[in-house]
């Protein structure tokens, strides 16, 4: 039971060594079944798609290989299991699928913008002329105002769609992550106060500078904080955290010039949380659980962080809340 097994299962060697296997893992766990079969048959077993339940009850995808250990008399005395954490591989597969979805949405957006914007421009011009002819005092003027508002709303939707299609143009410079997150916190204080929500700050004072585009990252944090506020009733807390990342998947990432350490900016709410089926789709374009919304905000956030050679991770427990963590590379 080495240190990697401790990290994977969130069970220390002291809690595992000397205990029956079924006291450490659930009796129907993949690793229990495979080790039991190996001891019974004296043959190796493998399972390319198993799972291990961690101490927090989260399931981690693993591959499992077991082998028997024979005594001098040729009988099976024990068995050994080698588990490989597949979380990063599954994450990369998910990123590829999401990238394909975003590319398809982008192609659709370009075609849609071309086909819709021209007639929208004509409609807007015609409505403005009509409003001028009717005069400001006409009882029909309010209807022309509604038309202009809705035309502008459709144009904003098209702009959001085009954000998925355009290459993200970054202007990366060294940035203080605390200052970025704090700007968003200050701008959100009034909205939080009106809803009876308290913003809690937990900033690591020793955080090194990051490399990023200020405007784009502000866009990401504004979106995440707004979503968190929308998810909570009065009396709850929204916690903003920054720290050097020790995450086993994203704490160190290859940004094109070799591995680089990452920092985390975390937005944690105490809302209703979400089921796994919803969590798995939240970055899909046009997927939303809100009555109002296009389902593009998180897809764009994901795209921005991806262009920064970073990552975004969402953990959620129904009834307890959601934690969104952004990973960004430090200045080398």
């Amino acid at each position: 039971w080495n240190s990697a097994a401790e990290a994977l299962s969130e069970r220390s060697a002291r809690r595992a060594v000397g205990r029956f296997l079924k006291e450490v893992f659930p009796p129907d766990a993949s690793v229990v079944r495979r080790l039991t079969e190996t001891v019974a048959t004296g043959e190796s077993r493998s399972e390319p798609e198993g799972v291990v339940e961690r101490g927090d009850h989260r399931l981690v995808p693993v591959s499992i290989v077991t082998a028997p250990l024979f005594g001098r008399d040729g009988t099976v005395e024990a068995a050994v299991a080698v588990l490989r954490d597949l979380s990063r591989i599954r994450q990369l597969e998910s990123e590829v699928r999401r990238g394909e979805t975003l590319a398809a949405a982008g192609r659709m957006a370009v075609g849609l913008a071309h086909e819709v914007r021209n007639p929208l421009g004509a409609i807007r011009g015609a409505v403005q002329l009509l409003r001028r002819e009717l005069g400001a005092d006409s009882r029909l003027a309010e209807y022309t105002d509604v038309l202009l508002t809705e035309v502008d709303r459709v144009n904003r939707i098209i702009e959001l769609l085009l954000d998925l299609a355009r290459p993200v143009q970054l202007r990366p410079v060294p940035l203080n992550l605390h200052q970025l997150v704090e700007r968003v916190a200050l701008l959100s204080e009034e909205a939080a106060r009106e809803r009876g929500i308290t913003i809690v700050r937990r900033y690591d004072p020793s955080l090194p500078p990051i490399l990023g585009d200020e405007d784009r990252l502000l866009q990401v944090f504004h979106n995440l904080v707004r979503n968190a506020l929308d998810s909570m009733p009065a009396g709850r807390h929204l916690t903003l955290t920054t720290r050097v990342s020790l995450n086993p998947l994203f704490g160190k990432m290859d940004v094109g010039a070799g591995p680089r350490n990452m920092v985390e900016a975390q937005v944690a709410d105490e809302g209703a949380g979400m089921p796994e089926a919803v969590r798995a789709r939240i970055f899909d374009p046009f997927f939303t659980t809100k009555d109002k919304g296009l389902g593009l905000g998180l897809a764009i956030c994901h795209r921005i962080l991806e262009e920064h050679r970073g990552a975004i991770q969402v953990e959620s427990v129904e009834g307890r809340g959601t934690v969104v963590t952004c990973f960004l590379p430090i200045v080398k």
Side-chain angles (χ1 to χ4, degrees), residues 23-45:
E23 294 177 347
V24 180
F25 295 107
D28 60 344
S30 303
V31 65
V32 174
R33 292 200 311 271
R34 298 308 174 201
L35 281 170
T36 302
E37 292 170 3
T38 296
V39 171
T41 64
E43 298 175 352
S44 296
R45 290 287 188 268

Side-chain angles (χ1 to χ4, degrees), residues 13 86 147 150 208 232 253 260 272:
L86 301 178
L147 285 170
E150 290 304 302
M232 285 189 288
M253 295 178 64
R260 189 172 297 185

